[in-house]
Amino acid sequence: MYVLDIPLIQQIMRWDMTVLRESPWYEEILKEGLQQGEQQGLQQGLQQGLQQGLQQGESVLVLRQLTKRFGEIEFSITQKIQKLPTTKLEILGESLLDFSQLQDLIHWLEVH
């Protein structure tokens, strides 16, 4: 945290931002900041992509299991399942082993 504000520092040092921007230090600091920002953005993007991929894969597996067990699943139910987070899909994947009829799935979706 800076004790002095920027205009006061500029006045003391008699520099303006144009001179600072043209300095090699400014370019280095800017380049380093951009690299750090890109790296953080890339990591965040990869993490989000991984989470979405896991969620989609889990929903595909659960839907395939349900279709095999009960036949064609209504589109509205399919949409609800596709919107579930990964943790809920994992629970559903285990719970569907106990379902004896499609109504069990519908009830599970209402509760969860």
Side-chain angles (χ1 to χ4, degrees):
M1 185 170 171
Y2 298 105
V3 177
L4 303 174
D5 59 355
I6 292 174
L8 181 56
I9 292 171
Q10 287 174 336
Q11 185 180 11
I12 292 169
M13 300 182 83
R14 292 190 173 95
W15 286 353
D16 64 18
M17 288 306 294
T18 305
V19 173
L20 288 174
R21 284 188 188 103
E22 293 173 0
S23 74
W25 298 288
Y26 180 85
E27 289 299 320
E28 267 311 300
I29 292 168
L30 181 61
K31 189 167 119 180
E32 186 177 315
L34 288 172
Q35 287 173 346
Q36 287 177 357
E38 286 175 1
Q39 184 66 24
Q40 288 173 351
L42 179 62
Q43 287 174 350
Q44 185 178 8
L46 287 172
Q47 183 66 26
Q48 286 176 338
L50 179 60
Q51 288 173 350
Q52 285 179 339
L54 288 171
Q55 190 274 343
Q56 288 174 352
E58 193 77 32
S59 70
V60 166
L61 177 61
V62 167
L63 287 168
R64 287 179 64 194
Q65 291 172 324
L66 288 167
T67 301
K68 184 168 178 93
R69 185 153 195 165
F70 300 116
E72 197 64 35
I73 306 295
E74 289 180 30
F75 183 70
S76 61
I77 294 173
T78 300
Q79 282 186 312
K80 287 179 185 178
I81 292 169
Q82 289 173 336
K83 291 179 183 178
L84 291 173
T86 305
T87 53
K88 295 274 187 186
L89 287 166
E90 290 170 350
I91 295 168
L92 176 56
E94 293 175 3
S95 299
L96 70 84
L97 298 173
D98 298 325
F99 297 166
S100 59
Q101 57 185 348
L102 189 58
Q103 189 59 38
D104 294 331
L105 170 63
I106 294 168
H107 177 70
W108 190 95
L109 289 169
E110 289 172 355
V111 173
H112 294 87

